[in-house]
Amino acid sequence: MIYWHIFLAFFIPGIVGYGGGPASIPLVENEVVDRYGWMTVPEFSEVLAIGNALPGPIATKMAGYIGYEQGGILGAVVGIFATVAPSLIIMIVLLGVLYRFKDSPKVKRMTNYIRPIIAVLLGVMTFNFFFNSYVDTGIIQTVFLVVASYLLLEKWKVHPAYVITASLAYGGLFL
């Protein structure tokens, strides 16, 4: 039964997570944290941070890790398969249809209507991460990390992987 739950936890976000890995992460969080209770929000945010620091698609790394935590090696295989299966199936089935209508105004309008929903999902998840950081580490540490990360990313154009790695090191040393 655990393998079926692992499959559903990653297949459902994969099938409805239009927009790639970042769009599916709030859906994975909902399944892993809220529905199955395999992790808390802080644990999920740690997995997300480590997944972001490593190269490759984040959703498959998270599926592999969480699947392994819940069901061992077979759980990792099931989680990774469930993550890539929706894209694989949809690509095979709909590739011809999408290619034929790729310049359709309706398809473009549909894509434009989905973007605000993805932004809201990411915003809610960001607020939850910020709130948990505030509760766990305090407002001074949280604000310092937010401001430092923002400046490194936006002003000095440091690669996000370095910012995440520096934040992990900061947390390991000072928190």
Side-chain angles (χ1 to χ4, degrees), residues 87-163:
S87 297
L88 183 65
I89 293 168
I90 289 172
M91 282 183 60
I92 291 170
V93 172
L94 297 178
L95 188 59
V97 175
L98 288 176
Y99 186 75
R100 187 179 339 153
F101 295 107
K102 71 178 182 177
D103 296 324
S104 165
K106 287 183 179 179
V107 172
K108 289 181 179 178
R109 208 171 30 244
M110 181 181 75
T111 302
N112 288 335
Y113 289 155
I114 291 173
R115 286 183 185 150
I117 304 303
I118 294 169
V120 168
L121 289 171
L122 290 172
V124 168
M125 186 180 74
T126 301
F127 175 78
N128 287 337
F129 287 175
F130 181 82
F131 182 75
N132 283 314
S133 175
Y134 163 72
V135 169
D136 291 343
T137 63
I139 191 68
I140 293 172
Q141 299 290 344
T142 301
V143 169
F144 171 74
L145 289 170
V146 167
V147 170
S149 298
Y150 179 79
L151 290 173
L152 288 169
L153 291 169
E154 294 299 321
K155 186 171 183 177
W156 296 300
K157 305 296 181 196
V158 175
H159 192 278
Y162 296 128
V163 176

